[in-house]
């Protein structure tokens, strides 16, 4: 399945390709304070392919906290957080916000929650390498 999405103003857009099985699309609500305050509900698939386009990089803020192992990509124009990335040994991994998906039937979303409080950085990186989208490219139109 090919899904388009992005932030509200269109500065950050993406195309996500993933296999959708009979269970639908996994949608995990993260229990960390940042995600709770931003309504962060994420999807990923290790076999997925994510292509991100940024029109104006100067209008994208990157936020990290705690272990500094992930970057939340925030559009500074509209305030939406459409994706989170993590670099592991030179390879980029990502999750995307299900709230930033365009035209996806909500019935396809298999909602759940996750709490990673207390997870050590090494375990966190290993989990991301196993579960996050592993084929990620981010391109920008201008500097």
């Amino acid at each position: 399945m090919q899904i388009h999405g992005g932030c509200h103003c269109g500065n950050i857009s993406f195309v996500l390709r993933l296999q959708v099985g009979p269970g639908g699309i996994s949608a995990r609500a993260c229990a960390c304070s940042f995600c709770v305050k931003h309504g962060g509900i994420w999807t990923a698939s290790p076999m997925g392919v994510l292509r991100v386009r940024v029109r104006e990089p100067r209008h994208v803020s990157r936020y990290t906290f705690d272990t500094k192992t992930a970057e939340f990509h925030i559009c500074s124009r509209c305030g939406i957080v459409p994706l989170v990335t993590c670099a592991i040994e030179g390879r980029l991994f990502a999750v995307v916000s299900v709230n930033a998906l365009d035209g996806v039937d909500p019935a396809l979303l298999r909602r759940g929650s996750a709490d990673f409080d207390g997870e050590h950085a090494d375990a966190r990186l290993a989990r991301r390498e196993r579960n996050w989208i592993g084929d990620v490219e981010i391109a920008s139109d201008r500097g």
Side-chain angles (χ1 to χ4, degrees):
M1 172 181 243
Q2 182 166 292
I3 303 168
H4 294 264
C7 69
H8 187 259
C9 71
N11 185 43
I12 304 170
S13 61
F14 61 80
V15 175
L16 172 62
R17 289 191 307 270
L18 54 90
Q19 299 277 338
V20 177
I25 298 170
S26 173
R28 176 185 46 82
C30 181
C32 82
S33 60
F34 184 87
C35 289
V36 167
K37 290 178 184 264
H38 284 87
I41 304 172
W42 309 99
T43 192
S45 170
M47 300 307 291
V49 176
L50 179 65
R51 298 296 178 256
V52 180
R53 168 75 57 199
V54 178
R55 284 189 196 160
E56 296 184 60
R58 65 188 173 98
H59 290 295
V60 177
S61 297
R62 293 190 174 153
Y63 178 71
T64 61
F65 63 98
D66 196 23
T67 62
K68 308 256 186 268
T69 59
E71 288 189 330
F72 291 77
H73 297 250
I74 307 164
C75 180
S76 62
R77 278 199 186 140
C78 65
I80 303 301
V81 184
L83 72 143
V84 180
T85 60
C86 177
I88 302 172
E89 296 181 12
R91 184 174 169 196
L92 196 60
F93 293 83
V95 293
V96 297
S97 170
V98 299
N99 296 320
L101 302 177
D102 295 332
V104 172
D105 182 351
L108 278 178
L109 300 177
R110 187 180 72 243
R111 295 181 182 268
S113 62
D115 187 348
F116 304 112
D117 193 31
E119 184 179 52
H120 296 288
D122 289 343
R124 186 167 294 198
L125 293 172
R127 175 181 46 77
R128 290 176 182 160
E129 195 168 15
R130 278 190 317 273
N131 299 323
W132 284 25
I133 302 161
D135 186 345
V136 178
E137 289 181 11
I138 300 176
S140 60
D141 292 345
R142 49 182 125 137

